[in-house]
Amino acid sequence: MQITVERDVFKLAQVFTISRGSRTEAKVLTVKVEDEGHVGWGECVPYARYGETLENVTDLIESVKGPVTRAGLYTLPAGAARNALDCALWDLECKKAGKRAWELAGLPAPKPEVTAYTLSLAEPAEMQAQAAKNAFRPLLKIKLGTPDDMARLEAVRAGAPKSTIIVDANEGWSAEVYADLAPHLVRLGVALVEQPLPAGDDDALIGMERPVPVCADESAHDCSTLPKLKGKYDVVNIKLDKTGGLTEALKLREAALAEGYKVMVGCMVGSSLAMAPATLVAQGAMVTDLDGPLLLAEDRDTPLVFDDMGVHPPSAALWG
């Protein structure tokens, strides 16, 4: 078994901004696992929020010497490196067995899922223009996380009066700001708010009224973090770069649903190769947010299909 990792860069269609900064390109790591004449592929996006860089994630991937199994990868921490390796091993197993990933996982064949489309953080007039341009989409996600978000909320709703809106604060609000905004989220028909408070301060959510469902993102990683969410959140955002791959993501989905949480399936800004495994986790989710490829100016050679039905499961030529 041979494991190799390469850096790939995909230009974005436009500048993408959240409360922590802006970017014009998606920098990803592509992992290839070769064994017995078969090749498996995986992709990850190192997340600076958790101290991950292209360099240290590459080093971690290259520290793994084959042969290795998905179970054997649990010696690595949950994160980008394990994700790319885990997904590459799933793809490899599929090619060896001549089966699709959902068959190996014992799941029904996946169907298209309506995905959110993300509007990046900007001044209210610009966000209204973004919303109007994408008002045909059924589900819009808006990046917020500043003390001046009320005008942005109003602007997006004015630009897209019929779309369902979800809000991602990216840990940018205080408990006071969230409490002040909550009734306005209801008034403007917001369906979900992601991570309103910093992960280290989210105990403030205990006992707070949550008129709109609150989703754990930065506070939720893998199954080990699930007990810490009790009393604070209604929904768990599952991202493969946080769980450390599809294997753990499927476990987290099952565990979260068993605990009574709703599930959201999200992504980093990456290519169709990164989104492909997540389409399995997204089946029947309350919210699917796998719009990474829609934000790119370029993608993989055999990209995912997005249409009025949503994001479709991957072709075998792409993954799984």
Side-chain angles (χ1 to χ4, degrees), residues 20 28 49 77 109 137 144 218 272 285:
R20 286 192 285 267
V28 311
R49 167 68 175 77
R137 300 184 188 275
L144 298 177
E218 285 84 357
S272 285

Coordinates of all heavy atoms in Angstrom, one line a residue, residues 20 28 49 77 109 137 144 218 272 285:
R20 N -14.0 35.5 10.6 CA -12.6 35.3 10.9 C -11.6 35.7 9.7 O -10.4 35.6 9.9 CB -12.3 33.9 11.3 CG -12.8 33.5 12.7 CD -12.3 32.2 13.1 NE -13.0 31.1 12.5 CZ -14.0 30.4 13.0 NH1 -14.5 30.8 14.1 NH2 -14.6 29.4 12.3
V28 N -6.4 22.8 -0.7 CA -6.8 21.5 -0.1 C -5.6 20.5 -0.3 O -4.6 20.8 -1.0 CB -8.0 20.9 -0.9 CG1 -9.1 22.0 -1.0 CG2 -7.6 20.5 -2.3
R49 N -8.6 27.2 12.5 CA -9.3 27.4 13.8 C -8.8 26.4 14.8 O -8.8 26.6 16.0 CB -10.8 27.2 13.6 CG -11.7 27.0 14.8 CD -11.7 28.3 15.7 NE -12.6 28.1 16.8 CZ -12.4 27.5 17.9 NH1 -11.2 26.9 18.1 NH2 -13.3 27.4 18.9
P77 N -5.6 11.8 15.5 CA -6.7 12.6 16.1 C -7.8 12.9 15.1 O -7.5 12.9 13.8 CB -6.0 13.9 16.5 CG -4.8 14.0 15.6 CD -4.4 12.6 15.4
A109 N -29.5 3.4 -1.2 CA -28.8 4.3 -2.3 C -29.2 5.7 -2.0 O -30.4 6.0 -1.8 CB -29.3 3.8 -3.6
R137 N -32.9 30.2 -5.1 CA -32.4 29.0 -4.4 C -33.4 28.9 -3.2 O -33.7 29.8 -2.5 CB -31.0 29.2 -3.9 CG -30.0 29.3 -5.1 CD -28.6 29.4 -4.5 NE -27.6 29.7 -5.6 CZ -27.1 28.8 -6.4 NH1 -27.4 27.5 -6.3 NH2 -26.2 29.2 -7.3
L144 N -22.6 35.7 9.4 CA -22.7 36.8 10.2 C -21.6 36.7 11.2 O -20.6 36.2 11.0 CB -24.1 36.9 10.8 CG -25.3 37.1 9.8 CD1 -26.6 37.1 10.6 CD2 -25.1 38.4 9.0
E218 N -18.5 24.6 15.8 CA -17.2 24.5 16.4 C -17.2 23.8 17.7 O -16.2 23.3 18.2 CB -16.6 25.9 16.6 CG -16.1 26.6 15.3 CD -17.2 27.2 14.5 OE1 -18.4 27.2 14.9 OE2 -16.9 27.8 13.5
S272 N -15.5 19.0 -5.2 CA -16.5 17.9 -5.2 C -16.0 16.6 -4.5 O -16.7 15.8 -4.0 CB -16.9 17.6 -6.6 OG -17.8 18.6 -7.1
A285 N -31.0 14.6 6.4 CA -30.6 15.6 7.4 C -31.6 16.8 7.4 O -32.2 17.1 6.4 CB -29.2 16.1 7.1

